[in-house]
């Protein structure tokens, strides 16, 4: 799939691609840091049907929501023949005691036997994060473990 990148002098950059129905969806990254999600008309790619301003945190969460499911689906397929092993996305919320702390500080593997196989941040996968990887609110941890271990890992990330 092709992504068209269009400089917008004095504004920033528009990045977009064509949907199956002919409409274009994209993002305008403003020079001042503002981010807009845009949807164009099918018959006029320069005319927006909708534009939605996003904060950097909202853009990060949206990117994670769009990127993490593919990774989780792949891991679920790979673990299908292993009874009792599950893959789950665990969020690092704004009020998490681990926002701004390292993955090692969570001691998830020791406390729950759950492995963190990747961290999704701003739509980018960070595979096999090391214990010194600093977690940030909005991150999604892609984890593998038993149902009980995953439930306990969620509680730890939420409450400490």
């Amino acid at each position: 799939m092709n992504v068209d990148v269009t400089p917008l002098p004095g504004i920033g950059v528009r990045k977009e691609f064509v949907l199956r129905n002919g409409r274009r969806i994209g993002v305008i990254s403003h020079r001042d840091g503002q981010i807009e999600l845009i949807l164009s008309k099918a018959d006029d790619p320069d005319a927006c049907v909708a534009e939605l301003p996003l904060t950097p945190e909202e853009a990060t969460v949206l990117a994670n929501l769009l990127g993490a499911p593919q990774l989780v689906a792949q891991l679920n397929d790979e673990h299908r023949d292993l009874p009792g092993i599950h893959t789950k996305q665990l969020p690092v919320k704004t009020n998490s005691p681990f926002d701004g702390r390292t993955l090692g500080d969570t001691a998830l593997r020791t406390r729950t036997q759950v492995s963190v196989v990747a961290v999704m941040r701003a739509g980018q996968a960070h595979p096999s994060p090391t214990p010194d990887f600093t977690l940030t609110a909005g991150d999604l941890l892609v984890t593998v473990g038993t149902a009980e271990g995953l439930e306990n890992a969620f509680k730890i990330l939420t409450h400490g």
Side-chain angles (χ1 to χ4, degrees):
M1 185 161 292
N2 293 328
V3 174
D4 296 323
V5 178
T6 307
L8 303 172
I11 297 171
V13 177
R14 179 174 67 197
K15 297 177 185 175
E16 60 189 347
F17 64 96
V18 179
L19 298 173
R20 202 177 21 201
N21 65 7
R23 287 189 169 169
R24 301 175 72 80
I25 189 167
V27 173
I28 296 177
S29 299
H30 292 259
R31 290 175 47 184
D32 65 2
Q34 292 180 351
I35 302 165
E36 288 179 273
L37 184 62
I38 58 169
L39 180 64
S40 69
K41 292 183 175 181
D43 59 345
D44 185 357
D46 289 327
C48 283
V49 171
E51 52 186 273
L52 181 64
L54 300 172
T55 67
E57 183 180 22
E58 292 166 341
T60 296
V61 170
L62 179 60
N64 286 338
L65 290 174
L66 294 172
Q70 290 82 7
L71 181 57
V72 170
Q74 178 183 351
L75 289 170
N76 280 333
D77 285 345
E78 292 173 5
H79 297 129
R80 185 176 319 138
D81 298 330
L82 300 173
I85 300 297
H86 305 281
T87 302
K88 189 169 184 175
Q89 302 170 52
L90 301 177
V92 177
K93 297 182 179 180
T94 302
N95 57 354
S96 169
F98 297 104
D99 178 14
R101 295 180 56 197
T102 67
L103 179 59
D105 289 342
T106 68
L108 284 182
R109 189 176 182 123
T110 303
R111 295 167 69 186
T112 67
Q113 307 306 304
V114 165
S115 294
V116 177
V117 297
V119 175
M120 295 296 298
R121 178 179 292 159
Q124 299 292 315
H126 298 271
S128 303
T130 60
D132 63 345
F133 185 93
T134 300
L135 301 173
T136 301
D139 286 351
L140 286 176
L141 279 59
V142 180
T143 57
V144 176
T146 64
E148 180 183 359
L150 292 168
E151 183 179 324
N152 290 334
F154 175 77
K155 290 176 184 174
I156 288 169
L157 288 172
T158 303
H159 305 293

